């Protein structure tokens, strides 16, 4: 399984658990273009925080090292990693594959 | 006196090697907690369930190591006491940029960065108690303490805003504003200045450690889950 596939699986699982926590009847449709933050976002800001905390923990556990999704690198990008599902997935891939 | 009020709780205290922070370590250990202390200098105390760590709280990379340790050792954090602080007094015209920056870095930015890391662990467990150590200076605004007072006012405001952001995670955030308390920091203040502070207080004496732990204990108890965004000033200072 490629790193991107692993990330996809972790993200989908995290969204699934989030939907359960929120008591949603329908799971999130984890499409690449799903907007996470800003206008038209699927999540409100508090739910996004929950998602990021959970995701950060799972990613760190999977790769056996501390991986922060909310440090200055993420926050100072011209395009936020939290814009869409695919932008977050791409950012995580960048973090886990860097030496 | 009760014991084990905080049994099995994991507590992080900044500025833990001296002054109030050092005594808070003893208090929480005495109440059955495990305490991770963060200080700039080396803390050589060897106490069961005390884990002193050396870090500059205004440096995110150094904090990452501290919180990585907390996560691997305990996988949770229940209580954070943002206590670290420095004070440089002097009239604004004679205060160097370096001193101003150091106060902002330690008193405000450091507290923010520590809280950010702590909140991640607390959010995961849907539990947390954050106490920010402020100062009555933010209310009485003493002559020659402009920046120090401003950083403490900023902490108060930050604490209230974060209380709102963290509320749905069962994390509370409160501020305890200290009145003069016998520490190294107080030793740098003249008796005339201490008398000025005491004159501002309704109760005209120096604070004692029990005055401080009394409020911190209240803020940190599990049953204080409905107490957040509060600001308590010791000694009877009126806002």
């Amino acid at each position: 399984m490629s790193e991107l596939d692993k990330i996809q699986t972790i993200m989908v699982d995290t969204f699934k658990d989030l939907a359960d926590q929120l008591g949603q009847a329908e799971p999130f449709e984890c499409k690449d273009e799903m907007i996470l933050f800003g206008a038209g976002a699927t999540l409100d800001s508090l739910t996004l925080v929950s998602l990021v905390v959970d995701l950060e923990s799972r990613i760190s556990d999977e790769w056996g090292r501390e991986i922060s999704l909310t440090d200055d690198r993420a926050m100072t990008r011209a395009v936020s990693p939290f814009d869409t599902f695919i932008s977050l997935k791409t950012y995580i891939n960048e973090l886990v594959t860097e030496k | 006196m009760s014991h084990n009020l905080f049994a099995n709780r994991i507590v992080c205290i900044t500025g833990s090697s001296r002054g109030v922070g050092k005594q808070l370590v003893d208090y929480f250990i005495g109440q059955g907690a495990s305490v991770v202390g963060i200080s700039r200098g080396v803390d050589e105390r060897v106490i069961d369930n005390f884990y002193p760590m050396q870090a500059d709280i205004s440096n995110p990379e150094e904090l990452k190591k501290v919180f990585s340790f907390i996560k691997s050792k305990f996988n949770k954090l229940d209580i954070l006491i943002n206590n670290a602080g420095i004070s440089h007094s002097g009239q604004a015209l004679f205060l160097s940029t370096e001193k101003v920056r150091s106060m902002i870095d330690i008193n405000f930015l450091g507290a923010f960065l520590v809280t950010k890391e702590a909140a991640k662990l607390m959010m995961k467990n849907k539990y947390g108690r954050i106490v920010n150590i402020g100062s009555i200076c933010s209310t009485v605004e003493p002559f020659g303490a402009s920046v120090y007072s401003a950083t403490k006012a900023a902490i108060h405001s930050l604490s209230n805003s974060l209380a709102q952001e963290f509320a749905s995670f069962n994390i509370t955030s409160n501020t305890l504003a200290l009145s003069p308390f016998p520490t190294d920091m107080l030793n740098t203040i003249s008796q005339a200045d201490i008398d000025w502070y005491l004159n501002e207080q309704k109760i005209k004496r120096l604070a004692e450690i029990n005055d401080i732990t009394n409020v911190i204990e209240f803020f940190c108890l599990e049953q204080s889950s409905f107490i957040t965004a509060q600001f308590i000033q010791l000694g009877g200072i009126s806002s």
Side-chain angles (χ1 to χ4, degrees):
Chain A
M1 191 186 267
S2 73
E3 305 291 60
L4 267 175
D5 288 340
K6 270 200 269 185
I7 295 164
Q8 172 80 19
T9 303
I10 290 171
M11 287 180 72
V12 169
D13 287 348
T14 308
F15 270 98
K16 186 175 175 301
D17 288 350
L18 184 65
D20 289 345
Q21 282 169 32
L22 295 171
Q24 285 187 190
E26 295 294 319
F28 290 99
E29 277 191 82
C30 293
K31 292 181 176 171
D32 284 354
E33 62 275 16
M34 177 165 72
I35 299 171
L36 301 179
F37 188 67
T42 310
L43 310 174
D44 64 33
S45 60
L46 281 176
T47 310
L48 178 65
V49 168
S50 283
L51 174 86
V52 170
V53 168
D54 195 8
L55 201 49
E56 192 175 281
S57 175
R58 292 180 193 216
I59 297 286
S60 296
D61 289 347
E62 176 66 31
W63 274 270
R65 60 189 164 94
E66 286 305 309
I67 295 170
S68 176
L69 300 179
T70 55
D71 62 13
D72 288 348
R73 278 175 64 180
M75 304 307 161
T76 53
R77 296 204 152 199
V79 178
S80 168
F82 304 107
D83 277 357
T84 60
F85 187 91
I86 185 67
S87 65
L88 184 54
K89 182 174 151 183
T90 306
Y91 183 61
I92 293 170
N93 186 53
E94 194 181 312
L95 295 179
V96 302
T97 54
E98 71 185 2
K99 297 294 171 195
Chain B
M1 188 183 170
S2 304
H3 290 284
N4 291 322
L5 281 174
F6 298 107
N8 303 317
R9 292 297 185 197
I10 311 302
V11 181
C12 177
I13 301 173
T14 66
S16 57
S17 66
R18 301 162 58 173
V20 173
K22 188 175 181 181
Q23 296 192 50
L24 290 178
V25 170
D26 295 337
Y27 166 76
F28 277 106
I29 294 286
Q31 294 295 344
S34 293
V35 178
V36 177
I38 309 177
S39 58
R40 276 179 301 172
V42 178
D43 190 338
E44 290 178 335
R45 286 181 293 169
V46 178
I47 307 171
D48 282 350
N49 301 318
F50 176 49
Y51 305 87
M53 304 207 63
Q54 196 177 1
D56 172 358
I57 59 169
S58 65
N59 182 326
E61 291 307 312
E62 291 187 23
L63 282 181
K64 212 179 265 183
K65 288 177 192 159
V66 173
F67 281 88
S68 181
F69 166 77
I70 295 174
K71 193 179 169 195
S72 63
K73 178 84 183 167
F74 305 107
N75 201 28
K76 70 166 187 168
L77 179 66
D78 301 300
I79 296 167
L80 167 66
I81 312 291
N82 274 317
N83 163 71
I86 57 169
S87 171
H88 297 293
S89 55
Q91 291 182 56
L93 290 182
F94 305 112
L95 211 48
S96 70
T97 305
E98 186 190 348
K99 284 182 176 174
V100 171
R101 189 165 282 142
S102 68
M103 281 190 275
I104 293 170
D105 279 354
I106 300 296
N107 299 359
F108 180 71
L109 177 64
F112 174 79
L113 294 174
V114 171
T115 303
K116 186 175 163 182
E117 291 302 320
K120 288 184 199 174
L121 282 169
M122 291 174 170
M123 284 170 174
K124 238 181 93 181
N125 289 314
K126 299 277 191 292
Y127 185 91
R129 301 282 178 265
I130 299 170
V131 180
N132 295 293
I133 301 298
S135 165
I136 62 167
C137 286
S138 62
T139 301
V140 299
E141 297 162 346
F143 185 89
S146 56
V147 176
Y148 178 74
S149 303
T151 59
K152 289 301 184 179
I155 277 293
H156 175 199
S157 178
L158 176 74
S159 181
N160 288 358
S161 297
L162 293 181
Q164 202 174 342
E165 288 189 26
F166 298 163
S168 62
F169 297 94
N170 188 26
I171 300 170
T172 64
S173 176
N174 293 291
T175 307
L176 168 62
L178 299 187
S179 57
F181 173 76
T183 59
D184 292 346
M185 201 186 276
L186 193 70
N187 291 337
T188 64
I189 301 174
S190 71
Q191 187 57 47
D193 285 343
I194 293 172
D195 290 343
W196 181 86
Y197 281 103
L198 296 183
N199 193 46
E200 294 286 312
Q201 296 175 203
K202 305 244 180 340
I203 303 169
K204 300 182 190 310
R205 65 166 172 82
L206 295 178
E208 295 169 2
I209 189 63
N210 287 344
D211 300 317
I212 297 169
T213 55
N214 175 46
V215 181
I216 290 180
E217 182 178 298
F218 169 64
F219 282 151
C220 292
L221 287 172
E222 187 171 356
Q223 54 264 47
S224 295
S225 59
F226 208 44
I227 307 296
T228 197
Q230 297 305 300
F231 179 59
I232 291 183
Q233 305 190 85
L234 294 181
I237 296 290
S238 306
S239 294

